[in-house]
């Protein structure tokens, strides 16, 4: 079970605390068990510093604590604080990764005819970058029109393989599978089943996708349709 430790302290020397964190990251490279760390300053009280550190498990956190560098830097941190730090130890029981869920909805629902994620999750000035298109597709209405064009040519789905999220960006690796049911680029329906692998990266602002970048195997798709030689 994921384990999260929250460390709170009061200090008049936050820049030195940051340098200590940099030092710990450098000195424990390849041996630390922490997977994610954040440091925040209270907007209402700049001297109130909160550090949040995530570990794969409580046991991993204990191994991390036993590193000599961790012990030394903790003692240096205490010296920078106006009072002893306080610790809150949490077993993570729920972790909602909302951007990843939004990216999944944007890929999975529209091929079924459900355009609600386009309305809910795309910014009004959303810009879609796909090298297979003549230019960028801008705005929810244009995205819907593009998707409807694909739906007339294919009965298709996105099979999500994996997702990675960092900050405001989500990368989703997928396999596109479609049956050729209508004209596409001048080719009449063949009822062939087509597959193509690819990835999409969405960048979010305030909960809505602002940009999307697509990378997929268009050559494989065209070869399966007979548009290019094998």
């Amino acid at each position: 079970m994921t384990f999260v430790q929250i460390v709170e302290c009061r200090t008049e020397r936050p820049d030195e605390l940051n340098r200590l964190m940099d030092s710990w990251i450098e000195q424990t490279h390849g041996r630390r068990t922490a997977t994610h760390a954040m440091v925040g300053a209270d907007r209402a009280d700049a001297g109130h510093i909160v550090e949040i550190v995530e570990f794969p498990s409580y046991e991993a956190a204990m191994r991390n604590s036993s590193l000599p560098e961790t012990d030394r830097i903790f003692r240096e941190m205490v010296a920078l604080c106006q009072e002893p730090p306080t610790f809150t130890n949490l077993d993570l029981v729920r972790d909602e990764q909302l951007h990843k869920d939004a990216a999944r909805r944007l890929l999975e629902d529209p091929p079924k005819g459900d355009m609600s994620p386009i309305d809910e999750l795309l910014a009004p000035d959303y810009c879609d970058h796909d090298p297979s298109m003549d230019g960028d597709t801008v705005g929810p209405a244009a995205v819907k029109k593009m998707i409807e064009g694909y739906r007339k040519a294919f009965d298709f789905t996105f099979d999500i393989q994996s997702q990675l999220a960092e900050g405001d960006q989500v990368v989703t690796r997928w396999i596109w599978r479609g049956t050729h049911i209508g004209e596409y680029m001048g080719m009449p329906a063949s009822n062939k089943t087509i597959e193509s692998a690819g990835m999409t990266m969405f960048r979010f602002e305030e909960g809505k996708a602002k940009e999307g970048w697509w990378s997929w195997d268009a050559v494989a798709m065209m070869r399966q349709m007979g548009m290019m030689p094998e």
Side-chain angles (χ1 to χ4, degrees):
M1 178 181 292
T2 300
F3 176 78
V4 175
Q5 188 169 69
I6 301 174
V7 185
E8 298 183 71
C9 70
R10 298 193 58 79
T11 183
E12 296 178 348
R13 301 152 73 181
D15 291 342
E16 292 181 57
L17 277 180
N18 265 331
R19 284 194 288 272
L20 276 180
M21 190 69 176
D22 291 339
S23 176
W24 176 77
I25 290 172
E26 179 182 351
Q27 294 175 20
T28 59
H29 179 71
R31 294 180 297 123
R32 64 179 176 270
T33 59
T35 56
H36 191 189
M38 295 182 289
V39 177
D42 190 336
R43 289 180 65 90
D45 182 358
H48 178 207
I49 303 298
V50 180
E51 180 181 359
I52 304 171
V53 188
E54 181 179 305
F55 301 89
S57 66
Y58 173 78
E59 291 75 18
M62 294 303 98
R63 291 196 299 274
N64 196 81
S65 296
S66 69
L67 294 173
E69 294 85 357
T70 300
D71 179 66
R72 179 180 59 78
I73 286 177
F74 173 71
R75 284 187 276 107
E76 293 181 23
M77 184 183 80
V78 170
L80 294 174
C81 295
Q82 297 167 277
E83 55 193 43
T86 63
F87 294 82
T88 302
N89 297 324
L90 304 174
D91 289 324
L92 195 64
V93 296
R94 179 165 177 164
D95 180 12
E96 296 289 352
Q97 300 187 56
L98 301 179
H99 285 167
K100 288 171 71 173
D101 180 64
R104 180 178 288 272
R105 287 186 61 202
L106 284 167
L107 289 167
E108 290 184 335
D109 293 352
K112 305 171 188 174
D114 179 3
M115 297 294 174
S116 60
I118 305 297
D119 296 321
E120 296 171 21
L121 300 172
L122 292 191
D125 57 348
Y126 171 81
C127 188
D128 203 61
H129 311 286
D130 185 339
S132 72
M133 307 293 286
D134 291 334
D136 292 342
T137 303
V138 180
V143 171
K144 287 182 186 178
K145 182 178 179 180
M146 175 184 64
I147 293 171
E148 289 296 355
Y150 274 106
R151 293 187 70 233
K152 289 177 181 178
F154 300 96
D155 179 8
F156 70 97
T157 60
F158 284 98
D159 183 3
I160 306 299
Q161 303 294 296
S162 63
Q163 290 184 292
L164 293 172
E166 181 175 351
D168 60 0
Q169 298 180 0
V170 177
V171 176
T172 305
R173 183 173 62 88
W174 43 258
I175 295 176
W176 181 94
R177 294 187 175 94
T179 302
H180 184 200
I181 59 172
E183 182 181 334
Y184 178 72
M185 297 181 66
M187 290 199 66
S190 65
N191 291 316
K192 290 182 178 179
T193 299
I194 314 297
E195 287 191 4
S196 180
M199 291 185 288
T200 305
M201 182 172 74
F202 288 113
R203 180 178 67 83
F204 291 86
E205 285 186 15
E206 298 182 353
K208 293 185 181 289
K210 289 280 285 187
E211 288 186 278
W213 291 266
W214 298 74
S215 177
W216 58 286
D217 194 347
V219 172
M221 177 181 178
M222 292 180 180
R223 282 177 174 166
Q224 291 171 68
M225 294 182 67
M227 299 171 70
M228 292 180 64
E230 295 289 342

